[in-house]
Amino acid sequence: MMNEKLQVIKIGGDIVDKPDLLHHFLNSFSKITHLKILVHGGGILLNDLAEKLSIPVKVIDGRRITDSETLDLALMTYSGLINTKIVAKLNSLKCQAVGLNGADGGVINAVKRPVREIDYGLVGDITDVNSEFLKILIGSGHTPVLCALSCDQSGQMLNTNADTIAAEIAIAMASEFDVQLTYVLDKPGVLSDLDNSNSIIRMLNMEQYKDLKKKQKISGGMLPKLHTGFYALQKSVSSVNITNIKNISGQSGTQLQSEGN
Ligand SMILES: Nc1ncnc2c1ncn2[C@@H]1O[C@H](COP(=O)(O)OP(=O)(O)OP(=O)(O)O)[C@@H](O)[C@H]1O
Ligand SMILES: [Mg+2]
């Protein structure tokens, strides 16, 4: 028997930050009839707040360096402001949403990233996802909405890229569901020319990704998306696509291809 379909959708700061876009997205999201989980970023709002408070922002290859002040800002904006607003709006759209940060229900467990060439600070590398808890929620008709925070064994909250959280959730659920992972962003897909929104790469395999990365055609926040997206495909996630708000349930935009396809 075929596993039931579950779509894990990740939205970025560009959508979260614009009330019109967010409303449009949440409307479409609430109408999806198959099982679904939402993961959101919120980097732009965090940057704005950091600027207002004169706290410096540092990002390397799309990944944020997080000191304790920045972590507090992340808790306030991701878990407090953004997550709560999304959940409230979804519930008004008759989608029974439940807001979670990584500590809620022990859902996203992580360890602080060891310091190698770069010290990312209070950033978590995910060790495991409490998929049983997520299954209970979706099994009772709820839609989990997660922000980009994880928690370690000592109770220390850690900042974790939302793309990675989405991919790890997709992987953790793939043993029981037919999982589609969808990254929704401001661009219509992975572009071969960032200045030309018509240059969408429809199918992308690992070889092409490495080549484009070497040629610096792919950079910044697209790197963690593709890195974790290909990893998810290797780990039994059925499909991974990168698209914009207009196409959240379809297969348009860029479809990642696993090895040998
Ligand atoms: N080849 C490419 N095609 C499309 N976008 C690219 C490409 N290379 C780099 N990018 C950049 O990646 C960005 C998306 O990643 P970014 O981290 O900024 O957003 P996000 O992950 O959607 O949001 P958040 O980080 O808040 O969760 C695009 O806005 C674009 O500037
Ligand atoms: Mg990002």
Side-chain angles (χ1 to χ4, degrees), residues 198-230:
N198 291 322
S199 67
I200 307 167
I201 302 167
R202 295 286 170 195
M203 296 282 188
L204 185 67
N205 65 30
M206 184 80 107
E207 290 290 300
Q208 293 163 319
Y209 159 52
K210 285 183 184 157
D211 188 49
L212 288 165
K213 190 176 160 185
K214 210 160 62 194
K215 291 180 180 146
Q216 296 184 336
K217 297 262 187 200
I218 291 173
S219 58
M222 187 50 75
L223 293 171
K225 249 177 266 303
L226 293 178
H227 181 79
T228 56
F230 280 112

Side-chain angles (χ1 to χ4, degrees), residues 10-14 40-44 62 161-163 184-187 189-194 217-225:
K10 187 267 171 168
I11 53 171
D14 56 291
H40 62 85
I44 297 170
N161 185 283
D163 298 336
V184 180
L185 71 158
D186 54 340
K187 305 285 183 294
V190 182
L191 305 173
S192 56
D193 171 5
L194 201 48
K217 297 262 187 200
I218 291 173
S219 58
M222 187 50 75
L223 293 171
K225 249 177 266 303

Side-chain angles (χ1 to χ4, degrees), residues 100-170:
L100 304 170
N101 65 52
D104 290 315
V107 70
I108 310 286
N109 301 300
V111 291
K112 184 180 173 297
R113 182 166 305 158
V115 178
R116 296 204 181 93
E117 296 102 82
I118 302 165
D119 183 359
Y120 286 97
L122 294 168
V123 164
D125 286 329
I126 298 172
T127 51
D128 64 280
V129 171
N130 187 350
S131 56
E132 292 308 314
F133 178 55
L134 290 173
K135 281 176 208 161
I136 289 169
L137 290 176
I138 59 178
S140 60
H142 292 90
T143 296
V145 177
L146 290 102
C147 63
L149 292 162
S150 56
C151 188
D152 81 1
Q153 275 189 337
S154 74
Q156 171 69 54
M157 294 303 290
L158 296 164
N159 193 8
T160 299
N161 185 283
D163 298 336
T164 314
I165 296 210
E168 290 291 351
I169 287 173

